[in-house]
Every structure is written in structure tokens, then in C-alpha cells.
Amino acid sequence: MNDIADKCPQLGLVLSGAMLPRFFLLFQQGVTIRARVGCSLKAFLLEELAIRQDAVDKIQSMFLDGRPVDDLDATMVRDGSVLALSAALPGLVGATMRRGGRYASFRQTISYHEEKLQCAAGNGRVRIKLFNLIMRELGPGLLHRGVFMRTSDLMNFLSGQAEDFWQECREVILDGMPSDAGRLKDGTLLSGHQKVIFSATL
Amino acid sequence: MDKILRIDVGAEGGPKATAGAMGEYAGFAGRALTSAIVSKEVPPLCHALGAENKLVIAPGMLSGTTGAMSGRISVGCKSPLTGGIKEANAGGQPSQVLARLGYGAIVLEGKPKGDDLYKVFINKDGVRIAADNSLKMLPNYDLVAKMKAEYGDKIACISIGPAGEMKMSAASIACTDMELRPTRHAGRGGVGAVMGSKGIKVIVLDDTGMQMRAPKDPEKFKEANKRFIEGLKKHPVTGQGLPAYGTNVLTNILNEVGGYPTYNFRQGRFDGAAKISGETQAETETKRGGLATHGCHRGCVIQCSGTYHDKDGHYLTKQPEYETVWAHGGNCGISDLDGIAMLDFLDDNYGLDTIEMGATIGVAMEAGLAKFGDVEAAIKLVHEVGKGTHLGRILGNGTAFTAKAFGVEHAPVVKGQAMPAYDPRAVQGVGVTYATSPMGADHTAGYAVAQNVLKVGGDVNALKPEGQVELSRNLQIATAAIDSTGMCLFIAFAVLDQPETFQALLDMLNAFYGLSLTGDGVTDLGKKVLSMERDFNARAGFTAQQDRLPRYFKMEKFAPHNVTFDVKDEDLDKVFNW
Ligand code: SF4
């Protein structure tokens, strides 16, 4: 996996902060990052994603592989995990999704239960979904770090952007070298590459 | 709020209004009052559309005051959809206005002698009722525009659309919002059909010249209200999440956990969820000049609503709620937010319950009347209902009726009422409430205050399966009580987590009425309401067999987690053991 990733081109954009909402659909659908895995969810959030403890506390609901998580220490992040993060949610069902909340029994059949607390540490890929207020909080950091995408998906995303997106795009950088936005838009810049590591600095 | 206005629609010479004292109903409001009147005065075996049924419209305990969030209105009757007792409630302006006019309830009773359609106008000088057949089959938006032209823009309206006039079991009762649009609906259970059966098209309320209702202890009330508002503002759900995204913030979450009923409850995930989520909806609204944060009535400090504009920036509808977006969206395989907003508008205009209609269209799609995902076909089906074609008459009578008409086995209903947007196999505790609520499948029936705040039912071991039964019981009790205060149920999030905010609410009630109500008193009120409702249903012929989910929820595994509903029947039967 790392070999493939290491051969991917790295595309970076420098954009105005006003463009953050353009990435909201991507965040909701999930972006894949390369990360150290084989650790507890708590360690993954605090150390690998470098989220401050008070910000972790605001993430009232977390889901690993589509299951609500209650105990961050007893949940392991592995290569291929899907992690979704949400702020406080409304309604009874919203309350049942809270980590360790008092209505957890309402969804006990789908809650996350760790099978093995041990798993191999190493590099891997984790798909991260950000929802609601968490998109604004963690989205910029995730984009800055870089996400692993199929080039066709990235091109779909970029071709859906209106002209103001490109007006607010101050730099296009490919593998550390300044590049041309026109060549990115017309597809020539990334032609021949199936995958790309995409980052944006807002 | 010291009188009840009774309108006998079968009186000689046309409907006659009589205002009388609250009498034995003194101290009751909202759901407590509607359920008390219905359970005492309506023969449970009567026909829901006949002379013996009554439609009761009641503001909440604190409606018409300066108290925040106090503008919910309750509508009660025997339901033509479930055959049991019904309370449906709505936001909008009418609750505040009706309360300031001094009415604890309006009761429509009897059976009209002829075919005339009536409008009722109530202001400080009294009640005027007039036949107005020019209103026949007017959709709600056109109707309200006509009322505005006739009575001015200081009014609030309670009305039915064509669906109510055609006495369809999915018909709602519309309440106007702050902009005088008929966007807030008492949706569930076919309450609009009962209003239609009484021959009343619209009740127009004008509180010009009336004062805010005055508390017994104004200083204490003001101070408690301030604490209550502070509590709502500081809580992450009522202070941040709901204002930013509304209830539709739940789409991504239910989808993520595989509890989002998709393709008529066939699976728990929908590929198009992110396209119709609250996050996407809020961005779309803001970009087009609509509002992502807005209140449905004056005095709402949470503001979970908004306004949705079309691609050209023109008003299309209010911000559709999560349940609506789910019903017309994922449940029908539709991921077109503009199409869903149009369906929301059509439901409001024809006067239809969005949950019942979305679930019905899901069944119609399963029957092959349209393809899953075909938004244009869904829009056409709702027009069929609004026009009252033969097909429309079937669809307008709801999910169970449509399933029967087209031979569809999978009808996601309890007591004849469609389930809302949370699959009970994934979130089983909600399934307990769907099964046992006297109202039929209803997500708001067990929605409110935590048992550890109210101290009802003792300590619950949340890790044991039976904990779900106890929690469901406690939540149903608390919800019944909150519905009686007229407070928006969304206050529950703040009250749930912050005992001081619950205390502020109690202090408001006590300061207003000169009471010394405690948490136990609130619990007793909730139990009393539920007991009256259960008793009505028992007399209407309901047994434990109606407190069940359709059998296929126990038999068919629900992807992605492959779960079935496995709460035992004997546990469901314990919900109301108190
Ligand atoms: S929170 Fe929402 S539903 Fe409740 S009163 Fe405010 S706008 Fe209406």
C-alpha cells in the first residue's frame, strides 16, 4: 500500500478560507488518509490526528465501521477502518448515539464491540467522515494534511466548482513545484495518474 | 385561557359557537386537555368521521406568555388512521394567539347538516362563523392568501387543504408561521380529515388588542424564563447544532449507523444520503438567499427551522425536517434536495402529513407504481392525492391502506400509522416506543426528559435488554407531560442534560400559575395523560396485539448490520406497568 501511495503525485492548492464549504460534501462522504494505525481510537485522535483533548470532548458521537462507539480506549483503529465524527445530535435517537450516553441500550445491537484489543501497529489507510459542526473544526486540518483520492474523483470534484473557486485559488503546487491552474482544470496536469494525494491549505 | 369554545357544526341554521368555563378541565392544557376531552366525551367505538367524534385544539400551559418556546398547539380526536386516540401537535403562531384570546381549547363537535364549507373568525370581540364555498378545494397557501386579503396580516390561521376536505386519513391541519405561511402542521393520524368532516375549512385568529398572558408572579417568571433561555443557549444541541443544521443533521448519522430506512425499509444505508443531509441543505439554503436558522413562532430561541429557496432564489418551502427529507428522500431512493423540497411544499399545500405520504409513496414504489429514485413520479403521485383522483384517494389514505390496495406485504406501520425515519431493528429502543405508544408508530412519543432528571421508574440498567422497555416507558411519560406544557419538544435536549434548566422550566410553570409543581408532579401528569389515552384505546377495542411491530421486522434481517427486532412481546407488554 505504501509503495503505491509513495508513487502518487502530491497536488496542493492554496485557497481562501471562504472555500471551506466546497469541501463539505467530500467530508460527509469520507476522505482517506494515510496514518499510523493499530492503536486505540483515543490515541489515534489525540496523537495521529493531533486533536486537542477539549476538541475530542466536543465530538460527542463517533462511529467506527458504521457502529456507534462508547469507549475510546477499548476501540482499535486498523488499516481500512472507517471513522465518522459528529458533534452533539438532536432528538432521542441523536441522544442514543452519544458516546457512553444513558440511552446507549436503545442501539445496543449495533454498538461497536472490540473483538481483539491487540492489532499490528504500522501504517495504513483510514477513511474519515466529518459531519455537521465537526466539518468546520477538523476539516481544514485534514485537508492540509492531505487526503488520498482517485484522480477521477478529484477531477469530478474540481470540475463541479464554479469560477469563484479558481479565483480564490492562489497557488497550485504539484510535487512541490508551482503549477498551472489551467492545466489542472483541463486534466493534463494529472493525466496518467490513477491516484493522487490531494491537499488544500485554507 | 379560562374558557372553552365549543362549535356545534350540526346546529340548526349552521354552526353555533358557545364559550363556557373550563369546568372539570381546569388546569389542563395542550395534550393533557385534548386527551382528557376526547377520552371523556368521545365514544371510543364511534366513527372517526361521524357526529360523535370531536376535534379539540388546545394551546399549551404557557402559550401566549413571554415564556420562550411555548408555542406548540395540540390537536386531538379519535384518529381515522389508527382508530385510536390521537394527539398531533404543531408550531407556528396560532397557539400563542389563541391563548392570548383567552381560549383553553376550541372543540368542533357534531355533524354538518349540509355541504357548505365554513370559516371561523375569532378576535377580541368574539366569534363569527360564515359559510364560504369559494374556499372549497383551495390549497393551504391560496387559502391563507385569501384570508390575509380579507382579515389583514395580523392573523394566524388553522386550516385544512383539499386532503382534509376529502377526509383522507393522511390529512394534516396547517398552522401559519411568523410569515403567515401554512408551513407548520399537526400532521399525524389524519386530524385534517376530522376537521374536514366538521365542514370547517379555516379558523382565523386575530389577537389585536389582547395582552400577553400575565403570570401570578411576574418577577419570578421573568427570572426563571431568563435561566431557561440561558440553559437552551449554552447546550450544544439547542445552542449550536439545531440552529445550524436543523433536525436534518440526523441524515448522515442514521445512514452511518445503518439505521436509515431506505427503499421502503429494505436496507439501512442510502448512497445519496450526503446529498440530502442537513449540512448540504443548510449550505444550499444560505447560498440561495434562504435561511438556515429561523424560528417557527415568536419566542423560539432555538430556531431549528429555515427557509428553502429554489435554484432561482425564490421561496419554495420552509426548511424540510429530517423526517420529511427521509420520507420523501431516502425511503423512496430520492437524492434530489430540490425535488424533496417541492414534495414538502406540495404536502403543506394540499394539507398532508409528510411522514405518511413519504412512507406511502415508498410502498407505491414497491408496488411498481413508480421507480425508486424517480422524483418526478413522486411529485405526480402527490398531485394525484391533491386532485383526489381514484389513485390519489388510495394514496391519501396512507401507507397501510395503499399496501392493502396494491398487495404489498411490507407496510411499515403500527396501529395503521407509518413509522418515521429510524429503523426499529437498528435502534431497538425506538421500536419499543413505536410498538407501544397509544398514538401508533411515532418518534416523538418517547422523546423527552431523562428518567434520572425526573426520577421516574427507578434506576435503569442501560446495558440490560429490559432497560429499553423501562426507558421507553419513562420517555413516554415525560413526553406526554412536555406536550401538555405546550413547550417545543426540542427543549428536551437541554432539560435532559441540565437539571438546572429543567428546574427553570418548573419555576416558570410555578411562577405563572402559583403552583409548587415538582418533577414528581410532572411525572404524574404524564402518567395520567398516557392512562387516559390507553384507556380510550382499550375501549376502542385495542389489545396487546396492537402493541406490536409488523412481523417482518422480527423475521427479515436489516443490512448492513443484519439485525432484527428482538425485543420480546412479553417485555413490550410491561411498558405500561407502573
Ligand atoms: S425549535 Fe424548531 S420546532 Fe421548536 S419552536 Fe423553534 S423552530 Fe419551532
Side-chain angles (χ1 to χ4, degrees):
Chain A
M1 187 283 305
N2 285 328
D3 291 344
I4 299 168
D6 290 343
K7 280 185 223 148
C8 281
Q10 300 203 9
L11 176 78
L13 303 182
V14 179
L15 289 159
S16 125
M19 290 299 106
L20 180 63
R22 303 297 170 91
F23 295 92
F24 284 175
L25 193 61
L26 277 186
F27 294 148
Q28 293 171 65
Q29 289 167 333
V31 291
T32 302
I33 62 165
R34 292 196 298 166
R36 293 282 300 166
V37 293
C39 55
S40 72
L41 177 51
K42 187 173 183 183
F44 185 80
L45 294 167
L46 291 172
E47 292 159 27
E48 185 58 30
L49 297 186
I51 305 173
R52 290 189 328 271
Q53 181 64 53
D54 60 332
V56 170
D57 294 341
K58 277 198 218 157
I59 310 174
Q60 283 203 353
S61 294
M62 299 187 193
F63 309 90
L64 195 67
D65 300 335
R67 294 179 180 276
V69 169
D70 290 303
D71 185 343
L72 302 189
D73 287 310
T75 299
M76 303 299 288
V77 179
R78 298 177 167 82
D79 183 26
S81 289
V82 179
L83 174 65
L85 307 175
S86 166
L89 293 163
L92 173 59
V93 175
T96 68
M97 296 301 162
R98 277 187 211 167
R99 286 189 275 136
R102 62 175 71 98
Y103 299 116
S105 74
F106 267 44
R107 42 81 175 166
Q108 61 187 355
T109 52
I110 58 165
S111 298
Y112 191 89
H113 297 294
E114 192 55 74
E115 308 272 295
K116 287 190 286 186
L117 269 176
Q118 298 299 321
C119 66
N123 289 325
R125 278 186 219 162
V126 178
R127 189 153 161 241
I128 302 204
K129 298 181 184 182
L130 305 179
F131 298 143
N132 47 67
L133 298 168
I134 304 299
M135 292 194 294
R136 283 191 188 276
E137 300 245 336
L138 303 186
L142 215 51
L143 283 176
H144 185 71
R145 172 193 181 113
V147 301
F148 194 68
M149 291 178 84
R150 275 204 298 263
T151 308
S152 56
D153 289 346
L154 177 65
M155 292 313 295
N156 270 345
F157 168 74
L158 293 175
S159 64
Q161 298 306 319
E163 199 41 46
D164 64 335
F165 181 88
W166 299 103
Q167 282 162 7
E168 299 291 338
C169 178
R170 291 195 279 270
E171 281 180 68
V172 176
I173 301 160
L174 185 67
D175 291 331
M177 302 295 289
S179 298
D180 178 36
R183 290 192 60 223
L184 175 58
K185 278 178 1 185
D186 69 21
T188 49
L189 194 64
L190 294 173
S191 69
H193 297 287
Q194 302 262 304
K195 307 256 169 84
V196 60
I197 295 174
F198 169 69
S199 66
T201 304
L202 297 150
Chain B
M1 281 195 6
D2 54 357
K3 55 194 175 191
I4 294 179
L5 180 71
R6 290 182 186 263
I7 300 178
D8 176 5
V9 300
E12 280 308 322
K16 292 271 174 310
T18 321
M22 293 288 286
E24 62 188 300
Y25 301 117
F28 280 10
R31 176 170 164 187
L33 182 54
T34 63
S35 288
I37 294 177
V38 173
S39 74
K40 176 147 200 305
E41 300 182 15
V42 174
L45 293 172
C46 75
H47 195 288
L49 303 177
E52 293 175 299
N53 199 6
K54 301 191 181 197
L55 187 82
V56 187
I57 302 170
M61 288 172 88
L62 292 177
S63 297
T65 73
T66 54
M69 311 302 304
S70 59
R72 300 294 291 193
I73 197 160
S74 287
V75 179
C77 58
K78 173 171 172 160
S79 162
L81 187 72
T82 69
I85 197 164
K86 174 54 63 182
E87 187 264 357
N89 61 60
Q93 286 295 102
S95 191
Q96 307 280 25
V97 177
L98 186 59
R100 279 197 284 273
L101 284 164
Y103 296 102
I106 298 174
V107 183
L108 306 183
E109 46 198 20
K111 188 175 174 105
K113 291 248 181 317
D115 283 340
D116 285 337
L117 196 58
Y118 287 87
K119 62 188 174 196
V120 178
F121 177 72
I122 307 174
N123 70 358
K124 66 177 178 9
D125 301 320
V127 183
R128 289 202 311 264
I129 304 175
D132 188 346
N133 291 321
S134 73
L135 307 181
K136 277 193 176 171
M137 295 302 271
L138 271 191
N140 278 313
Y141 274 84
D142 306 69
L143 171 72
V144 169
K146 217 165 170 200
M147 293 303 102
K148 191 173 161 185
E150 195 170 332
Y151 298 105
D153 61 3
K154 300 280 182 288
I155 55 170
C157 297
I158 301 170
S159 65
I160 54 169
E165 284 185 62
M166 290 185 279
K167 305 185 198 85
M168 291 170 167
S169 290
S172 62
I173 291 178
C175 294
T176 48
D177 58 21
M178 291 190 287
E179 289 75 31
L180 203 42
R181 291 171 176 147
T183 58
R184 311 291 148 178
H185 288 240
R188 310 240 61 197
V191 290
V194 179
M195 188 158 162
S197 74
K198 304 296 180 201
I200 304 291
K201 177 73 174 173
V202 59
I203 300 171
V204 181
L205 306 164
D206 182 349
D207 65 352
T208 305
M210 302 299 291
Q211 304 292 320
M212 285 280 180
R213 291 174 62 214
K216 282 236 158 70
D217 188 332
E219 275 317 304
K220 271 200 183 138
F221 183 75
K222 197 169 158 194
E223 183 274 328
N225 190 31
K226 191 163 161 257
R227 274 188 285 128
F228 183 59
I229 292 171
E230 281 165 6
L232 295 176
K233 295 245 180 213
K234 79 174 182 207
H235 190 275
V237 173
T238 48
Q240 290 180 309
L242 271 174
Y245 301 110
T247 52
N248 195 17
V249 72
L250 289 170
T251 292
N252 276 324
I253 304 303
L254 267 294
N255 193 57
E256 187 62 20
V257 300
Y260 188 72
T262 302
Y263 305 124
N264 189 28
F265 286 75
R266 288 288 180 165
Q267 62 188 56
R269 285 226 176 102
F270 179 47
D271 282 346
K275 291 188 187 154
I276 57 174
S277 67
E279 293 88 329
T280 304
Q281 184 172 265
E283 277 307 309
T284 309
E285 286 167 344
T286 311
K287 207 165 64 192
R288 294 178 180 177
L291 290 169
T293 305
H294 194 48
C296 72
H297 71 268
R298 288 191 191 92
C300 166
V301 297
I302 300 175
Q303 306 207 326
C304 79
S305 193
T307 48
Y308 192 98
H309 286 187
D310 64 16
K311 286 193 175 90
D312 301 324
H314 300 124
Y315 172 86
L316 175 55
T317 188
K318 93 283 191 183
Q319 174 175 290
E321 292 210 43
Y322 167 61
E323 285 76 17
T324 304
V325 175
W326 159 77
H328 282 304
N331 188 51
C332 295
I334 290 171
S335 58
D336 172 349
L337 207 46
D338 287 333
I340 293 166
M342 174 56 79
L343 286 158
D344 180 73
F345 165 77
L346 291 174
D347 286 343
D348 283 356
N349 209 22
Y350 289 133
L352 290 160
D353 175 19
T354 57
I355 296 174
E356 197 66 42
M357 278 322 296
T360 300
I361 292 172
V363 163
M365 286 175 162
E366 183 158 333
L369 268 68
K371 286 204 165 57
F372 280 108
D374 186 344
V375 68
E376 290 309 322
I379 288 171
K380 270 193 198 133
L381 290 177
V382 176
H383 280 305
E384 296 269 345
V385 179
K387 286 184 206 142
T389 64
H390 288 163
L391 172 60
R393 297 249 178 192
I394 292 173
L395 301 172
N397 276 299
T399 307
F401 194 85
T402 300
K404 219 174 228 176
F406 291 99
V408 174
E409 184 193 343
H410 291 99
V413 301
V414 178
K415 300 184 180 81
Q417 179 171 285
M419 285 180 199
Y422 316 87
D423 196 283
R425 288 163 288 195
V427 192
Q428 304 221 345
V430 169
V432 174
T433 303
Y434 285 175
T436 59
S437 160
M439 300 294 156
D442 189 337
H443 64 294
T444 64
Y447 205 97
V449 194
Q451 86 289 343
N452 65 334
V453 176
L454 287 176
K455 304 270 189 286
V456 291
D459 289 327
V460 172
N461 181 347
L463 296 175
K464 291 201 326 217
E466 56 271 30
Q468 301 185 35
V469 167
E470 292 174 52
L471 281 173
S472 174
R473 172 195 308 143
N474 299 336
L475 288 162
Q476 290 195 55
I477 291 169
T479 303
I482 292 278
D483 283 345
S484 304
T485 64
M487 289 288 173
C488 172
L489 258 186
F490 294 146
I491 67 165
F493 316 129
V495 172
L496 179 81
D497 297 323
Q498 299 166 179
E500 71 277 13
T501 310
F502 178 60
Q503 189 57 50
L505 173 61
L506 283 181
D507 292 345
M508 282 167 77
L509 288 165
N510 289 335
F512 194 87
Y513 286 100
L515 301 169
S516 45
L517 198 62
T518 61
D520 287 342
V522 176
T523 305
D524 289 344
L525 175 64
K527 283 183 182 172
K528 193 169 181 173
V529 173
L530 281 170
S531 297
M532 288 188 295
E533 293 169 348
R534 299 254 317 156
D535 174 59
F536 181 94
N537 282 0
R539 287 183 287 128
F542 283 59
T543 67
Q545 295 316 306
Q546 275 79 41
D547 286 350
R548 302 285 182 264
L549 298 186
R551 203 163 157 72
Y552 71 90
F553 284 87
K554 288 185 160 194
M555 316 286 291
E556 295 178 14
K557 288 188 175 159
F558 191 61
H561 296 310
N562 294 325
V563 278
T564 53
F565 184 73
D566 59 10
V567 179
K568 292 193 201 81
D569 289 351
E570 52 266 37
D571 288 330
L572 292 177
D573 293 341
K574 287 183 203 149
V575 167
F576 294 97
N577 291 349
W578 57 60

